[in-house]
Structures are given as C-alpha cells and as structure tokens.
Amino acid sequence: MIDAISYIAVIASLSIMKLSPRQSRPATTKMWQELQEGWRYVAGCVPIRMVLILFAIVSFMGVP
C-alpha cells in the first residue's frame, strides 16, 4: 500500500510539470562524417578502445 502511494506522488508531480516543446535542429553533418569522427576518437582513447575490444570479444564468444 505504501509503495502504491509513492507511485501516486510521483505521477502527480510529473503531471504538474510544464515543459515547453523542444525545437529540433536539422543535422549539419553527414552520418559517415560522424562515424569517422567516432572511430578517430576511439583510436586515440585507450580505455574506450579496450572496453570496445572487450565487448567485441565477449559478443563473438557468446554468439555460438
């Protein structure tokens, strides 16, 4: 019962909030340029590169 009351409080507070609609901006760069920029960043940052390599190894071993 207490848990249900806490949900009601959260729902009430969310319904009171007034948010203005966000303006979307058109993309200024192409997808391939963004991918190249990401690969360059990963190539220069050793910790991120190691985490991505670890994810790749775990994914390849988990596929079979």
Coordinates of all heavy atoms in Angstrom, one line a residue:
M1 N 0.8 -1.2 0.0 CA 0.0 0.0 0.0 C 0.9 1.3 0.0 O 0.6 2.2 -0.7 CB -0.9 0.0 1.2 CG -1.9 1.1 1.2 SD -3.0 1.0 -0.2 CE -4.4 1.7 0.4
I2 N 1.9 1.2 0.8 CA 2.8 2.4 0.9 C 3.5 2.6 -0.5 O 3.7 3.7 -0.9 CB 3.8 2.2 2.0 CG1 3.1 2.2 3.4 CG2 4.9 3.3 2.0 CD1 4.0 1.9 4.5
D3 N 3.9 1.5 -1.1 CA 4.5 1.6 -2.4 C 3.6 2.2 -3.4 O 4.0 3.0 -4.2 CB 4.9 0.2 -2.9 CG 5.8 0.2 -4.1 OD1 6.6 1.2 -4.2 OD2 5.7 -0.7 -4.9
A4 N 2.3 1.9 -3.4 CA 1.3 2.4 -4.3 C 1.2 3.9 -4.1 O 1.1 4.7 -5.0 CB 0.0 1.7 -4.2
I5 N 1.2 4.3 -2.9 CA 1.1 5.8 -2.5 C 2.3 6.5 -3.1 O 2.1 7.6 -3.6 CB 0.9 6.0 -1.0 CG1 -0.4 5.4 -0.6 CG2 1.0 7.4 -0.6 CD1 -0.6 5.3 0.9
S6 N 3.5 5.9 -3.0 CA 4.6 6.6 -3.5 C 4.5 6.8 -5.0 O 5.0 7.8 -5.6 CB 5.9 5.9 -3.1 OG 6.0 4.6 -3.8
Y7 N 4.0 5.8 -5.7 CA 3.8 6.0 -7.2 C 2.8 7.1 -7.5 O 3.0 7.8 -8.4 CB 3.3 4.7 -7.8 CG 4.3 3.6 -8.0 CD1 4.3 2.4 -7.3 CD2 5.4 3.8 -8.8 CE1 5.3 1.5 -7.4 CE2 6.4 2.9 -9.0 CZ 6.3 1.7 -8.3 OH 7.3 0.7 -8.4
I8 N 1.8 7.2 -6.7 CA 0.8 8.3 -6.9 C 1.5 9.7 -6.7 O 1.2 10.6 -7.5 CB -0.4 8.1 -5.9 CG1 -1.2 6.9 -6.3 CG2 -1.3 9.4 -6.0 CD1 -2.3 6.5 -5.3
A9 N 2.3 9.8 -5.8 CA 3.0 11.1 -5.6 C 3.9 11.4 -6.8 O 4.0 12.6 -7.2 CB 3.9 11.0 -4.3
V10 N 4.6 10.4 -7.3 CA 5.5 10.6 -8.5 C 4.6 11.0 -9.7 O 4.9 12.0 -10.4 CB 6.3 9.4 -8.8 CG1 7.1 9.6 -10.1 CG2 7.3 9.2 -7.6
I11 N 3.5 10.3 -9.9 CA 2.7 10.6 -11.1 C 2.1 12.0 -10.9 O 2.0 12.7 -11.9 CB 1.6 9.5 -11.2 CG1 2.2 8.2 -11.6 CG2 0.5 9.9 -12.2 CD1 1.3 7.0 -11.6
A12 N 1.7 12.4 -9.7 CA 1.1 13.7 -9.5 C 2.1 14.8 -9.8 O 1.8 15.8 -10.5 CB 0.6 13.8 -8.1
S13 N 3.4 14.6 -9.3 CA 4.4 15.6 -9.6 C 4.8 15.7 -11.0 O 5.0 16.8 -11.5 CB 5.6 15.3 -8.7 OG 6.2 14.1 -9.1
L14 N 4.8 14.6 -11.8 CA 5.0 14.6 -13.2 C 3.9 15.3 -14.0 O 4.2 16.0 -15.0 CB 5.3 13.2 -13.7 CG 6.6 12.5 -13.3 CD1 6.6 11.1 -13.8 CD2 7.8 13.3 -13.9
S15 N 2.7 15.1 -13.5 CA 1.6 15.8 -14.2 C 1.5 17.3 -14.0 O 1.0 18.0 -14.8 CB 0.3 15.1 -13.8 OG 0.0 15.4 -12.5
I16 N 2.1 17.7 -12.9 CA 2.1 19.2 -12.6 C 3.2 19.9 -13.5 O 3.0 21.1 -13.7 CB 2.4 19.4 -11.1 CG1 1.2 18.9 -10.3 CG2 2.6 20.8 -10.8 CD1 1.4 18.9 -8.8
M17 N 4.2 19.2 -13.9 CA 5.3 19.8 -14.6 C 4.9 20.4 -15.9 O 4.1 19.8 -16.6 CB 6.4 18.8 -14.9 CG 7.2 18.4 -13.6 SD 8.4 17.1 -13.9 CE 9.5 17.9 -15.0
K18 N 5.4 21.6 -16.2 CA 5.1 22.3 -17.5 C 6.3 22.3 -18.3 O 7.3 22.9 -18.0 CB 4.6 23.7 -17.3 CG 3.4 23.8 -16.4 CD 2.1 23.3 -17.1 CE 0.9 23.5 -16.2 NZ -0.2 22.8 -16.6
L19 N 6.3 21.6 -19.5 CA 7.5 21.5 -20.3 C 7.2 22.2 -21.7 O 6.1 21.9 -22.2 CB 8.0 20.1 -20.5 CG 8.4 19.3 -19.3 CD1 8.7 17.9 -19.6 CD2 9.6 20.0 -18.7
S20 N 8.1 23.0 -22.2 CA 7.9 23.5 -23.5 C 8.4 22.6 -24.5 O 9.3 21.8 -24.3 CB 8.6 24.9 -23.6 OG 10.0 24.7 -23.4
P21 N 7.7 22.5 -25.7 CA 8.2 21.6 -26.8 C 9.6 22.0 -27.2 O 9.9 23.2 -27.3 CB 7.2 21.8 -27.9 CG 6.4 23.0 -27.5 CD 6.6 23.3 -26.1
R22 N 10.4 21.0 -27.5 CA 11.8 21.2 -28.0 C 11.8 21.4 -29.5 O 11.0 20.8 -30.2 CB 12.6 20.0 -27.7 CG 12.8 19.8 -26.2 CD 13.7 18.6 -25.9 NE 15.0 18.9 -26.3 CZ 16.0 18.1 -26.3 NH1 15.8 16.9 -25.8 NH2 17.2 18.4 -26.7
Q23 N 12.6 22.4 -29.9 CA 12.8 22.6 -31.3 C 13.9 21.7 -31.8 O 15.0 21.6 -31.3 CB 13.3 24.1 -31.5 CG 12.3 25.1 -31.0 CD 11.0 25.2 -31.9 OE1 11.1 24.9 -33.1 NE2 9.9 25.6 -31.3
S24 N 13.6 21.0 -32.9 CA 14.6 20.1 -33.5 C 15.4 20.8 -34.5 O 14.8 21.6 -35.3 CB 13.9 18.9 -34.1 OG 13.0 19.3 -35.2
R25 N 16.7 20.6 -34.5 CA 17.5 21.2 -35.5 C 17.9 20.2 -36.6 O 18.2 19.1 -36.3 CB 18.8 21.7 -34.8 CG 18.5 22.9 -33.8 CD 19.8 23.3 -33.1 NE 20.1 22.3 -32.1 CZ 21.2 22.2 -31.5 NH1 22.2 23.0 -31.7 NH2 21.4 21.3 -30.5
P26 N 18.0 20.7 -37.8 CA 18.5 19.8 -38.8 C 19.9 19.4 -38.6 O 20.7 20.1 -38.1 CB 18.3 20.6 -40.1 CG 18.2 22.0 -39.7 CD 17.7 22.0 -38.3
A27 N 20.3 18.2 -39.1 CA 21.6 17.7 -38.9 C 22.6 18.5 -39.8 O 22.2 18.8 -41.0 CB 21.7 16.2 -39.3
T28 N 23.7 18.9 -39.3 CA 24.6 19.7 -40.1 C 25.7 18.8 -40.7 O 26.4 19.3 -41.6 CB 25.3 20.8 -39.2 OG1 25.9 20.2 -38.1 CG2 24.2 21.8 -38.7
T29 N 25.9 17.6 -40.1 CA 27.0 16.8 -40.7 C 26.3 15.5 -41.2 O 25.2 15.1 -40.7 CB 28.0 16.4 -39.6 OG1 27.4 15.8 -38.5 CG2 28.8 17.7 -39.1
K30 N 27.0 14.8 -42.0 CA 26.5 13.5 -42.5 C 26.9 12.4 -41.6 O 27.8 12.5 -40.8 CB 27.1 13.3 -43.9 CG 26.6 14.3 -44.9 CD 27.0 14.0 -46.3 CE 26.5 15.1 -47.2 NZ 26.5 14.7 -48.6
M31 N 26.2 11.3 -41.8 CA 26.4 10.1 -40.9 C 27.8 9.6 -41.0 O 28.4 9.2 -40.0 CB 25.3 9.0 -41.2 CG 25.5 7.8 -40.3 SD 24.3 6.5 -40.7 CE 24.9 6.0 -42.3
W32 N 28.3 9.5 -42.2 CA 29.6 8.9 -42.4 C 30.7 9.8 -41.8 O 31.7 9.3 -41.2 CB 29.9 8.8 -43.9 CG 29.1 7.7 -44.5 CD1 28.1 7.8 -45.4 CD2 29.1 6.3 -44.2 NE1 27.5 6.6 -45.7 CE2 28.1 5.6 -44.9 CE3 29.9 5.5 -43.3 CZ2 27.9 4.3 -44.9 CZ3 29.7 4.1 -43.3 CH2 28.7 3.5 -44.1
Q33 N 30.5 11.1 -41.8 CA 31.5 12.0 -41.1 C 31.4 11.8 -39.6 O 32.5 11.8 -39.0 CB 31.2 13.5 -41.4 CG 31.4 13.8 -42.9 CD 30.9 15.2 -43.2 OE1 30.1 15.8 -42.5 NE2 31.5 15.8 -44.3
E34 N 30.3 11.6 -39.1 CA 30.1 11.4 -37.6 C 30.8 10.0 -37.2 O 31.4 9.9 -36.2 CB 28.7 11.4 -37.2 CG 28.1 12.8 -37.3 CD 26.6 12.9 -36.9 OE1 26.1 11.8 -36.6 OE2 26.1 14.0 -37.0
L35 N 30.6 9.0 -38.1 CA 31.2 7.7 -37.8 C 32.7 7.8 -37.9 O 33.4 7.2 -37.0 CB 30.7 6.6 -38.8 CG 29.3 6.1 -38.6 CD1 28.9 5.2 -39.8 CD2 29.3 5.3 -37.3
Q36 N 33.2 8.5 -38.8 CA 34.7 8.7 -38.9 C 35.2 9.4 -37.7 O 36.3 9.0 -37.2 CB 35.1 9.4 -40.2 CG 34.9 8.6 -41.5 CD 35.2 9.5 -42.7 OE1 35.2 10.7 -42.6 NE2 35.3 8.8 -43.8
E37 N 34.5 10.4 -37.3 CA 34.9 11.2 -36.1 C 34.9 10.3 -34.9 O 35.8 10.3 -34.0 CB 34.0 12.3 -35.9 CG 34.4 13.2 -34.7 CD 33.4 14.4 -34.5 OE1 32.7 14.7 -35.5 OE2 33.4 14.9 -33.4
G38 N 33.9 9.4 -34.7 CA 33.9 8.5 -33.6 C 35.0 7.5 -33.6 O 35.6 7.2 -32.6
W39 N 35.3 6.9 -34.8 CA 36.4 6.0 -34.9 C 37.8 6.6 -34.6 O 38.6 6.0 -33.9 CB 36.5 5.3 -36.3 CG 35.5 4.3 -36.5 CD1 34.4 4.3 -37.3 CD2 35.5 3.0 -35.8 NE1 33.7 3.1 -37.2 CE2 34.3 2.3 -36.3 CE3 36.3 2.4 -34.9 CZ2 34.0 1.0 -35.9 CZ3 35.9 1.1 -34.5 CH2 34.8 0.4 -35.0
R40 N 37.9 7.9 -35.0 CA 39.2 8.6 -34.7 C 39.3 8.8 -33.2 O 40.4 8.7 -32.6 CB 39.2 9.9 -35.4 CG 39.8 9.8 -36.8 CD 40.1 11.2 -37.4 NE 39.1 11.3 -38.5 CZ 38.2 12.2 -38.7 NH1 38.1 13.2 -37.9 NH2 37.4 12.1 -39.7
Y41 N 38.2 9.1 -32.5 CA 38.2 9.3 -31.1 C 38.5 8.0 -30.4 O 39.3 8.0 -29.4 CB 36.8 9.9 -30.6 CG 36.7 10.1 -29.1 CD1 37.4 11.2 -28.5 CD2 36.1 9.2 -28.3 CE1 37.3 11.4 -27.2 CE2 36.0 9.3 -27.0 CZ 36.6 10.4 -26.4 OH 36.6 10.6 -25.0
V42 N 37.9 6.9 -30.8 CA 38.2 5.6 -30.1 C 39.6 5.2 -30.4 O 40.2 4.7 -29.5 CB 37.2 4.6 -30.7 CG1 37.6 3.2 -30.3 CG2 35.8 4.9 -30.2
A43 N 40.1 5.5 -31.6 CA 41.5 5.1 -31.8 C 42.5 5.9 -30.9 O 43.6 5.4 -30.6 CB 41.8 5.4 -33.3
G44 N 42.1 7.1 -30.5 CA 43.0 7.9 -29.7 C 42.8 7.7 -28.2 O 43.6 8.2 -27.4
C45 N 41.8 7.1 -27.8 CA 41.5 6.9 -26.4 C 41.6 5.4 -26.0 O 40.7 4.6 -26.3 CB 40.1 7.5 -26.1 SG 39.7 7.5 -24.4
V46 N 42.7 5.1 -25.3 CA 43.0 3.7 -25.0 C 41.9 3.1 -24.1 O 41.5 1.9 -24.4 CB 44.4 3.6 -24.4 CG1 44.7 2.2 -24.0 CG2 45.4 4.1 -25.4
P47 N 41.4 3.7 -23.0 CA 40.4 3.0 -22.2 C 39.2 2.6 -22.9 O 38.6 1.5 -22.8 CB 40.2 4.0 -21.1 CG 41.3 4.9 -21.0 CD 41.8 5.0 -22.4
I48 N 38.7 3.6 -23.8 CA 37.5 3.3 -24.5 C 37.7 2.2 -25.5 O 36.9 1.3 -25.7 CB 36.9 4.6 -25.2 CG1 36.5 5.5 -24.1 CG2 35.8 4.3 -26.2 CD1 36.0 6.9 -24.6
R49 N 38.9 2.2 -26.2 CA 39.2 1.2 -27.1 C 39.3 -0.2 -26.5 O 38.7 -1.2 -27.0 CB 40.5 1.5 -27.8 CG 40.9 0.6 -28.9 CD 42.2 1.0 -29.6 NE 43.2 1.4 -28.6 CZ 44.2 2.2 -28.9 NH1 44.3 2.8 -30.1 NH2 45.1 2.5 -28.0
M50 N 39.8 -0.3 -25.3 CA 39.9 -1.6 -24.6 C 38.5 -2.1 -24.2 O 38.3 -3.3 -24.3 CB 40.8 -1.4 -23.4 CG 42.3 -1.2 -23.7 SD 42.9 -2.7 -24.5 CE 43.7 -1.9 -25.9
V51 N 37.7 -1.2 -23.8 CA 36.3 -1.6 -23.4 C 35.6 -2.1 -24.7 O 34.9 -3.1 -24.6 CB 35.5 -0.4 -22.8 CG1 34.0 -0.8 -22.6 CG2 36.1 -0.1 -21.4
L52 N 35.7 -1.4 -25.8 CA 35.0 -1.9 -27.0 C 35.6 -3.2 -27.5 O 34.9 -4.1 -28.0 CB 35.2 -0.8 -28.1 CG 34.3 0.4 -27.9 CD1 34.6 1.5 -29.0 CD2 32.9 0.1 -27.8
I53 N 36.9 -3.4 -27.4 CA 37.5 -4.7 -27.8 C 37.0 -5.8 -26.8 O 36.7 -6.9 -27.3 CB 39.0 -4.6 -27.7 CG1 39.5 -3.7 -28.9 CG2 39.7 -6.0 -27.8 CD1 41.0 -3.4 -28.8
L54 N 36.9 -5.5 -25.6 CA 36.3 -6.5 -24.6 C 34.9 -6.8 -25.0 O 34.5 -8.0 -25.0 CB 36.4 -6.0 -23.2 CG 35.9 -6.9 -22.1 CD1 36.7 -8.1 -22.0 CD2 35.8 -6.1 -20.8
F55 N 34.1 -5.9 -25.3 CA 32.7 -6.1 -25.7 C 32.7 -7.0 -27.0 O 31.8 -7.9 -27.1 CB 31.9 -4.8 -25.9 CG 31.5 -4.1 -24.7 CD1 31.2 -2.8 -24.7 CD2 31.3 -4.8 -23.5 CE1 30.8 -2.1 -23.5 CE2 30.9 -4.2 -22.3 CZ 30.7 -2.8 -22.4
A56 N 33.5 -6.7 -27.9 CA 33.6 -7.4 -29.2 C 33.9 -8.9 -28.9 O 33.3 -9.8 -29.4 CB 34.6 -6.8 -30.1
I57 N 34.9 -9.1 -28.0 CA 35.4 -10.5 -27.7 C 34.2 -11.3 -27.0 O 33.9 -12.4 -27.4 CB 36.6 -10.5 -26.9 CG1 37.8 -10.0 -27.7 CG2 36.9 -11.9 -26.3 CD1 39.1 -9.7 -26.9
V58 N 33.6 -10.6 -26.1 CA 32.5 -11.3 -25.4 C 31.3 -11.6 -26.3 O 30.7 -12.6 -26.3 CB 32.0 -10.4 -24.2 CG1 30.7 -10.9 -23.6 CG2 33.1 -10.4 -23.1
S59 N 31.0 -10.6 -27.2 CA 29.9 -10.9 -28.2 C 30.2 -12.0 -29.1 O 29.4 -12.8 -29.4 CB 29.7 -9.6 -28.9 OG 29.3 -8.5 -28.1
F60 N 31.5 -12.1 -29.6 CA 31.8 -13.1 -30.6 C 31.8 -14.5 -29.9 O 31.5 -15.5 -30.5 CB 33.2 -12.8 -31.2 CG 33.1 -11.8 -32.3 CD1 34.0 -10.7 -32.3 CD2 32.1 -11.8 -33.3 CE1 34.0 -9.8 -33.2 CE2 32.1 -10.8 -34.2 CZ 33.0 -9.8 -34.2
M61 N 32.3 -14.5 -28.6 CA 32.3 -15.8 -27.9 C 30.9 -16.2 -27.5 O 30.6 -17.4 -27.4 CB 33.2 -15.7 -26.7 CG 34.6 -15.4 -27.0 SD 35.3 -16.8 -28.0 CE 36.9 -16.1 -28.4
G62 N 30.0 -15.3 -27.3 CA 28.6 -15.6 -26.9 C 27.7 -16.0 -28.0 O 26.6 -16.5 -27.8
V63 N 28.1 -15.7 -29.2 CA 27.2 -16.0 -30.4 C 26.9 -17.5 -30.6 O 25.8 -17.9 -30.7 CB 27.8 -15.3 -31.7 CG1 27.0 -15.8 -32.9 CG2 27.7 -13.8 -31.6
P64 N 27.9 -18.3 -30.5 CA 27.7 -19.8 -30.7 C 26.8 -20.3 -29.7 O 26.0 -21.1 -29.8 CB 29.0 -20.4 -30.7 CG 30.0 -19.4 -31.0 CD 29.4 -18.1 -30.5

